[in-house]
């Protein structure tokens, strides 16, 4: 079943995802990814990043998100400190703009 889902995502949605970063993933997720990743195309596996620890999070996120739009758990110098306003994030913020631009 996992192989079928991976193949469906790989062949049907190849260009929809730039990067997916999972911050501090649990053990079961890291284990599942290590089993599934061998079935995926290397271009697909390069899109998924499982970042554990401060150094790995900074390396993964510093090129993808600006400090103005990062919380402190994402980047040490992240400027967003308030709780995420889900209404602003999902409804008011234009899709092509970041959360802080709304």
């Amino acid at each position: 079943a996992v192989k079928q889902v991976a193949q469906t995502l790989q062949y049907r949605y190849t260009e929809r995802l730039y990067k997916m970063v999972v911050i501090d993933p649990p053990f079961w997720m890291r284990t599942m990814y290590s089993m599934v990743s061998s079935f995926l195309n290397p271009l697909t596996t390069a899109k998924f990043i499982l970042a554990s620890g401060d150094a790995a999070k900074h390396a993964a996120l510093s090129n993808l998100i600006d400090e103005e739009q990062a919380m402190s758990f994402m980047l040490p110098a992240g400027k967003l400190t308030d709780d995420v306003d889900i209404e602003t994030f999902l409804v008011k913020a234009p899709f092509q703009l970041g959360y802080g631009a709304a």
Side-chain angles (χ1 to χ4, degrees), residues 42-75:
L43 295 174
T44 302
T45 57
K47 295 180 179 188
F48 293 94
I49 302 168
L50 304 180
S52 296
D54 291 339
K57 287 188 282 189
H58 188 271
L61 294 173
S62 62
N63 294 328
L64 299 174
I65 188 168
D66 188 66
E67 288 179 350
E68 296 292 326
Q69 295 186 359
M71 292 183 174
S72 60
F73 76 90
M74 297 170 154
L75 294 173

Side-chain angles (χ1 to χ4, degrees), residues 28-97:
W28 67 266
M29 187 179 290
R30 292 189 311 263
T31 303
M32 182 68 89
Y33 179 74
S34 67
M35 292 186 323
V36 171
S37 63
S38 63
F39 297 110
L40 299 175
N41 183 306
L43 295 174
T44 302
T45 57
K47 295 180 179 188
F48 293 94
I49 302 168
L50 304 180
S52 296
D54 291 339
K57 287 188 282 189
H58 188 271
L61 294 173
S62 62
N63 294 328
L64 299 174
I65 188 168
D66 188 66
E67 288 179 350
E68 296 292 326
Q69 295 186 359
M71 292 183 174
S72 60
F73 76 90
M74 297 170 154
L75 294 173
K79 303 279 192 278
L80 287 182
T81 56
D82 298 333
D83 291 334
V84 173
D85 178 9
I86 202 69
E87 179 73 17
T88 298
F89 183 71
L90 293 177
V91 178
K92 296 177 184 173
F95 181 75
Q96 74 276 12
L97 298 178

Side-chain angles (χ1 to χ4, degrees), residues 7-18 41 43-44 47:
Q7 286 177 339
T8 299
L9 291 173
Q10 182 171 300
Y11 296 120
R12 303 272 192 269
Y13 304 102
T14 56
E15 299 302 322
R16 306 241 183 219
L17 178 68
Y18 176 66
N41 183 306
L43 295 174
T44 302
K47 295 180 179 188

